[in-house]
Every structure is written in structure tokens, then in C-alpha cells.
Amino acid sequence: MTIATYILFAAIVVCALWTVQASIVRAALGLAVVSVLLSVLMFQMGAPLAGVFELSVCAGLITVVFVSTISMTARLDAEASKALRAVRAKRFRPAIVAVACIGALLWISSYARDVSPVIGETAETVREVLWGPRRLDLVGQIIMIFVGVFGVVVLFKEKREKEIGR
Amino acid sequence: MNNFWIENFRLVIITAALLFTVGLYCILVTRNMIRVLIGMELLTKAVTLLLVLAGAVTGRMAMAQALIITLIVMEVVAITVAAGVVVGAFRHTGNVSTESLDEAKG
């Protein structure tokens, strides 16, 4: 498990780096791969329900939203696309250096070395938590879902001919 | 289970910090609004990872999972509405650059 877990951590960071450097459609797919890897990690850490949510919602639904948004916006012509690709590669190159530097700094610093976590096993289930101490979260979630639905209806609707002619 | 994650606490923290750095870099460098949303997603992935770690280390995984589910719901709604804003901006200005929004007058 140890080596596989280390590979998983490395793969998450590499995929995230690839996500910011790749073209926009590939970036959306790279984000989905990061979500899939994160959900595998969640299963390993003992959070299966959160893993299922991450896999279905983040890797599935959000990828669909991104791909739909990309398809609804215009594609650049070949020349502009080539020029943008060159600029993008140049612009995101420091990201790799920044990530390597921050990773090395965190690794050698004393931060998180002397951590003594509080360990207290509880027999709560997710259902008990959601309907008990975090009940208010459900109200917030329902309100947010309604906000999302109304937001999508308002923002994605096509303009009527009358409004266009005005 | 807990011991493994306590021993590898620093590794998870560093991975989350790197994810956060990549996301923040993506937001700061790009001018494409869709890429900004992708950067935001990477930031939330880092936060999700930290929440799972907190649950695994403290043994309160049920609480951590409940918080993660709430986070994911909020994240989906925020991204969907933001995608609608991007499409609206594209219809208005003809591109998805953040610079084109400077000309917006409300």
C-alpha cells in the first residue's frame, strides 16, 4: 500500500501540473483525472462516501459542465491557436519551478514535523452527522441547489427575438 | 489505518500545498475565464484532501465526509453558475478573456 500511495500522491501533483499546461479541453480532462485519483485516495483513507461523491460529481458532472462551456464558446483559428500555445507553454513553465521550490521548502522546513494529532475514534456514521450536528448544512445545500438551478436558467437562456431586435 | 496517515501526515500536507500552489498559479497567470475556473477547482481539491486527512487522523471520518459532501455540493453550484457567467460574457464580448470584462459597464 505504501508505494502505491506514494505513486498516487505523485500522480496527483503531476496531473495537476499537466492540467494547467495543457490545452483547454485537455485541461478539463486532466482535472477529471485529478478527481479520479483523489477519489481513489479517499477510498484508501477510509472515506468511501466522499470518494463516491468526488468520483461521480467532480470527475463526471463538473467535467461535463466544463466541456459544454468550452463547446459553447468559440474556437480560435489555427494561427491564433498556435501563437497561444507557444505563449501558454512559456507562461506556465515557472509553475513547475514554483511547485518544486515550495515542495522542497515544505519538505526541509520543520513545519508539520512535530505534529501530535488528536486521536479519538468515534462510532458516528455520516447519516448521524448530517442529520445531527450538521443539520444546518443540509438547509444550506438545498438553498444553494435552488440558487444553482435559477442561475443556470437565467444565465444559459437564449435571447428572445424581440429582445435581440430591440 | 490512522497510524499510516499520522506517519505520512507531512506528505499529505505537502501534496495539498502543491495542489493549492498549482491552482493559485493557474488563476494568477491565465486570462482565460474557463482556466480560472479550472484553477478554482484545483484549490478545492487541495481543501478536500486536507479535510479527508483531518478525518483520518482524528478518527472523525463521518464528520469529515459530511463536510466534504457539503463542499462538493457548493463547488458544483459555484462552478455551474460561473460557467453560465462565462457563456454570458462570451455572448456579450465574443471572447472568454478576463480583460474583455474591463469594458463591462454593469
Side-chain angles (χ1 to χ4, degrees):
Chain A
M1 182 181 164
T2 316
I3 294 169
T5 311
Y6 292 150
I7 292 170
L8 205 57
F9 280 119
I12 287 173
V13 176
V14 170
C15 281
L17 276 170
W18 185 72
T19 298
V20 296
Q21 255 180 330
S23 67
I24 197 87
V25 178
R26 286 182 187 162
L29 297 177
L31 192 67
V33 174
V34 173
S35 287
V36 170
L37 293 173
L38 194 62
S39 59
V40 172
L41 196 64
M42 283 176 175
F43 277 106
Q44 279 197 355
M45 291 173 105
L49 201 64
V52 167
F53 258 78
E54 180 75 26
L55 193 62
S56 58
V57 178
C58 293
L61 182 64
I62 287 183
T63 308
V64 172
V65 170
F66 273 126
V67 173
S68 311
T69 309
I70 292 163
S71 67
M72 286 169 89
T73 51
R75 178 178 285 221
L76 293 171
D77 55 53
E79 211 168 288
S81 176
K82 198 178 172 185
L84 191 66
R85 206 178 301 144
V87 174
R88 190 190 307 130
K90 204 183 284 177
R91 206 186 288 162
F92 285 112
R93 215 171 286 155
I96 298 166
V97 181
V99 165
C101 289
I102 289 171
L105 269 176
L106 285 170
W107 192 260
I108 57 172
S109 69
S110 59
Y111 176 70
R113 194 172 288 172
D114 307 318
V115 178
S116 48
V118 182
I119 304 162
E121 289 284 352
T122 53
E124 287 173 325
T125 62
V126 180
R127 195 189 301 167
E128 283 167 4
V129 172
L130 269 179
W131 288 108
R134 307 300 305 179
R135 196 182 301 161
L136 200 62
D137 288 5
L138 290 176
V139 179
Q141 283 185 34
I142 293 164
I143 291 169
M144 279 300 281
I145 288 168
F146 275 116
V147 168
V149 169
F150 287 126
V152 167
V153 168
V154 170
L155 291 167
F156 279 89
K157 76 172 179 186
E158 297 283 341
K159 281 185 180 175
R160 288 178 194 161
E161 281 180 24
K162 273 183 190 175
E163 288 172 354
I164 294 167
R166 213 176 278 165
Chain B
M1 177 65 80
N2 279 344
N3 286 337
F4 178 81
W5 297 112
I6 291 166
E7 284 164 16
N8 291 288
F9 191 82
R10 196 161 55 132
L11 179 71
V12 186
I13 294 274
I14 289 171
T15 308
L18 294 183
L19 264 180
F20 202 87
T21 310
V22 174
L24 203 60
Y25 193 88
C26 186
I27 290 175
L28 291 176
V29 167
T30 189
R31 289 175 191 86
N32 186 325
M33 282 188 267
I34 300 172
R35 257 179 213 285
V36 172
L37 297 186
I38 288 173
M40 262 174 62
E41 270 289 303
L42 286 173
L43 295 183
T44 54
K45 298 275 172 276
V47 175
T48 309
L49 187 57
L50 290 177
L51 279 173
V52 188
L53 176 71
V57 166
T58 58
R60 302 197 68 186
M61 193 50 97
M63 177 66 87
Q65 288 193 86
L67 289 174
I68 290 166
I69 289 167
T70 308
L71 174 74
I72 289 172
V73 171
M74 300 295 172
E75 180 187 338
V76 168
V77 172
I79 290 293
T80 312
V81 172
V85 172
V86 171
V87 172
F90 174 74
R91 282 178 188 161
H92 186 68
T93 63
N95 61 53
V96 288
S97 171
T98 49
E99 285 171 344
S100 65
L101 291 181
D102 288 345
E103 292 158 16
K105 287 177 183 158

